[in-house]
Amino acid sequence: MSEWRLYEVFVRSKHGLNHKHVGSVHAADNEMAMENARDLYTRRSEGVSIWVVPSETITASASDEKEVLFDPSEDKVYRHASFYKLPDEVGHM
Amino acid sequence: MYAQMVETGTKRLKTLEEMSPEERDFQEKVDAETKIEAKNWMPDGYRKTLIRQISQHAHSEIVGMLPEGNWVTRAPTLKRKLQLMAKIQDEAGHGLYLYSAMETLGADRDEEIQKLHDGKAKYSSIFNYPTLNWADMGAVGWLVDGAAIVNQVVLQRTSYGPYSRAMVRICKEESFHQRQGYQILLDMMREGTQEQKDMVQDAINRLWWPALMMFGPHDDESPNSQQSMVWKIKRKSNDELRQMFIDQTIPQLEFLGCTVPDPDLKWNEERGHYDFGEINWKEFYDVLKGDGPCNRERVATRKKAIDEGAWVREAAVAYAAKQKQRAEKAA
């Protein structure tokens, strides 16, 4: 079974929502990956759409890159609406 | 508990001062309830312990299908047959969620399954008992899945992200299992003949103690237990979980109008818990070692399933290769 590829499974739970990662399956090809994902992750109408993606094709950020990747956004507070104080008289904006 | 006596490789707990900077970082994250994810640094012992525990848990789900599979063709009505099949399919699913979580740690599913077949990996002792009458299907759902839920609800907060998320998913599905089991017993007790009522009591008599053994041995000063608690792989001790299970189950038992085979079972007003008798630990260790009533049969059945399904897996690979070749030619 080691010849079977590993696929990551993403499920859209309702129309209008994003696909969300739910787990993985093994399969010999894409079609079987879809069938296995359907049987494994949507037995109780958990989804309206499924994506299966070969795990090896995913590029992920490494955990030790956290500072390099995400820290710069920490000091850009002016990117948040809450940074701009408005007088009460202006009301809701 | 679906994982009993998981070895951590620890003789003595390290203090924060004795840890390497990486280890200390890791432990502080765990202490702060930050989930550990697959790509994060983790101590080797943590990884190995998780692989052992999650694979044991997964094997339990898979072997756990067997005692019930025995009753699919014998279920008394079509409704019961459908419910039983749905429950068994869920268990296959639970096994797969868990194997999938285990693989994020770098373990190979085939290798871990091979260990089960070689007798090197354990699964829960409970599945080495036979299911002799239809009421056993009720008692298994109510008591065995009930005990599993008590353990698994707590494991939703386990420190390893993929394991915790698998547990959340499993817990959602598991309560159907327990309810369908209890309903089988309730129907038999309410509408059944005397003979059927006796079957219910007989099933409870045989499965009560093995269900209590699912939580594993007493919490002693074992470094394995302590280490698992510090790593937050385990969140509550075996004895605490067992007590929780007994306290919530006895009122349900009384509602059925049945008893358990324990003369020492008694409500303790002072403690606010039920007191109960001592488990036959020799039986527990015998079953764990492979000498329970059904150990050999269970492993042999799993091996047979894998062997006899080999051609299907090979055909799938051959088909995929052929399709790929054709697509390449057409391109």
Side-chain angles (χ1 to χ4, degrees):
Chain A
M1 200 147 45
S2 313
E3 303 154 75
W4 289 23
R5 274 171 121 180
L6 188 66
Y7 289 78
E8 298 303 320
V9 182
F10 300 80
V11 171
R12 184 200 296 283
S13 59
K14 273 199 296 203
H15 290 292
L17 295 182
N18 294 324
H19 283 77
K20 204 172 139 193
H21 183 245
V22 291
S24 59
V25 291
H26 286 269
D29 58 25
N30 298 349
E31 199 187 332
M32 188 197 246
M34 183 58 78
E35 283 162 5
N36 287 354
R38 187 251 153 242
D39 285 350
L40 189 54
Y41 292 104
T42 58
R43 286 197 301 285
R44 291 180 176 80
S45 45
E46 287 94 336
V48 294
S49 160
I50 301 175
W51 289 346
V52 286
V53 183
S55 308
E56 75 221 12
T57 62
I58 292 179
T59 309
S61 62
S63 57
D64 50 5
E65 277 176 357
K66 194 170 163 248
E67 287 182 9
V68 191
L69 280 178
F70 305 111
D71 261 10
S73 50
E74 293 274 309
D75 49 350
K76 294 183 176 63
V77 284
Y78 47 85
R79 285 182 172 174
H80 297 276
S82 57
F83 177 77
Y84 302 91
K85 304 277 179 258
L86 296 179
D88 288 347
E89 292 77 9
V90 178
H92 181 73
M93 186 184 282
Chain B
M1 177 143 179
Y2 273 15
Q4 298 154 325
M5 302 183 68
V6 179
E7 175 66 42
T8 61
T10 307
K11 298 274 171 288
R12 184 181 69 85
L13 295 185
K14 278 188 193 170
T15 63
L16 275 181
E17 291 73 41
E18 288 172 307
M19 291 178 186
S20 68
E22 277 167 323
E23 270 178 294
R24 203 175 310 138
D25 254 18
F26 168 85
Q27 189 58 51
E28 280 166 359
K29 239 164 125 179
V30 169
D31 291 343
E33 301 287 337
T34 306
K35 292 271 181 270
I36 306 300
E37 296 296 338
K39 289 198 156 194
N40 295 149
W41 186 90
M42 59 186 85
D44 204 37
Y46 178 83
R47 184 185 300 274
K48 284 189 180 145
T49 303
L50 270 174
I51 293 174
R52 266 185 223 116
Q53 176 159 333
I54 301 175
S55 65
Q56 214 185 100
H57 199 152
H59 298 333
S60 300
E61 296 282 357
I62 300 298
V63 176
M65 295 192 280
L66 303 177
E68 292 176 325
N70 193 32
W71 282 91
V72 170
T73 56
R74 300 178 175 87
T77 64
L78 181 59
K79 180 184 83 176
R80 293 295 187 202
K81 190 193 289 246
L82 289 171
Q83 290 168 346
L84 193 57
M85 286 196 296
K87 180 176 190 290
I88 294 171
Q89 193 192 7
D90 273 353
E91 272 142 20
H94 296 176
L96 291 171
Y97 300 155
L98 288 160
Y99 284 128
S100 151
M102 177 198 79
E103 286 184 298
T104 63
L105 292 156
D108 182 84
R109 189 167 81 181
D110 295 348
E111 270 173 35
E112 296 306 316
I113 291 174
Q114 192 55 48
K115 281 185 200 161
L116 170 71
H117 294 177
D118 293 342
K120 287 181 200 147
K122 289 196 280 265
Y123 54 89
S124 179
S125 54
I126 189 73
F127 301 117
N128 291 311
Y129 291 86
T131 43
L132 303 177
N133 71 43
W134 171 248
D136 284 27
M137 287 304 94
V140 164
W142 173 47
L143 295 174
V144 175
D145 288 81
I149 291 171
V150 166
N151 169 49
Q152 292 175 158
V153 163
V154 181
L155 279 176
Q156 291 180 98
R157 294 190 297 119
T158 194
S159 60
Y160 188 56
Y163 191 25
S164 150
R165 292 190 287 272
M167 280 297 119
V168 171
R169 202 165 253 289
I170 288 173
C171 284
K172 263 190 212 154
E173 300 178 350
E174 202 82 73
S175 63
F176 137 62
H177 298 182
Q178 196 187 12
R179 284 182 181 211
Q180 69 87 36
Y182 192 68
Q183 205 208 41
I184 289 175
L185 301 183
L186 209 52
D187 279 3
M188 288 174 87
M189 291 308 288
R190 277 178 170 164
E191 297 158 32
T193 61
Q194 188 55 46
E195 203 182 349
Q196 288 170 324
K197 289 179 188 174
D198 293 345
M199 274 164 71
V200 173
Q201 185 59 57
D202 172 58
I204 296 172
N205 288 349
R206 281 180 289 106
L207 287 165
W208 176 250
W209 288 110
L212 296 188
M213 290 178 200
M214 288 173 69
F215 295 95
H218 285 307
D219 306 303
D220 43 15
E221 292 304 298
S222 132
N224 283 328
S225 238
Q226 282 180 14
Q227 182 64 74
S228 282
M229 295 283 258
V230 168
W231 280 335
K232 300 198 184 197
I233 291 175
K234 249 175 112 162
R235 303 294 317 228
K236 273 195 194 316
S237 74
N238 297 350
D239 285 329
E240 271 178 285
L241 292 168
R242 186 163 21 237
Q243 184 74 61
M244 275 169 70
F245 171 70
I246 291 173
D247 290 349
Q248 73 180 43
T249 304
I250 297 303
Q252 298 162 1
L253 173 88
E254 285 166 354
F255 188 81
L256 281 177
C258 293
T259 57
V260 288
D262 179 359
D264 297 323
L265 186 102
K266 207 170 142 251
W267 176 252
N268 184 326
E269 193 64 51
E270 211 173 296
R271 289 203 310 129
H273 292 292
Y274 283 93
D275 289 338
F276 55 98
E278 190 58 40
I279 287 170
N280 179 350
W281 293 111
K282 185 184 174 308
E283 177 182 324
F284 171 75
Y285 287 109
D286 283 349
V287 175
L288 218 57
K289 264 197 321 228
D291 291 328
C294 301
N295 293 58
R296 285 168 195 83
E297 186 191 329
R298 297 289 186 240
V299 174
T301 308
R302 283 307 312 149
K303 274 194 204 155
K304 185 165 171 257
I306 289 276
D307 292 345
E308 291 183 356
W311 71 271
V312 179
R313 296 190 299 278
E314 285 160 19
V317 172
Y319 175 79
K322 197 168 162 189
Q323 292 301 108
K324 203 176 154 198
Q325 218 174 25
R326 276 193 190 157
E328 278 164 2
K329 225 182 236 171

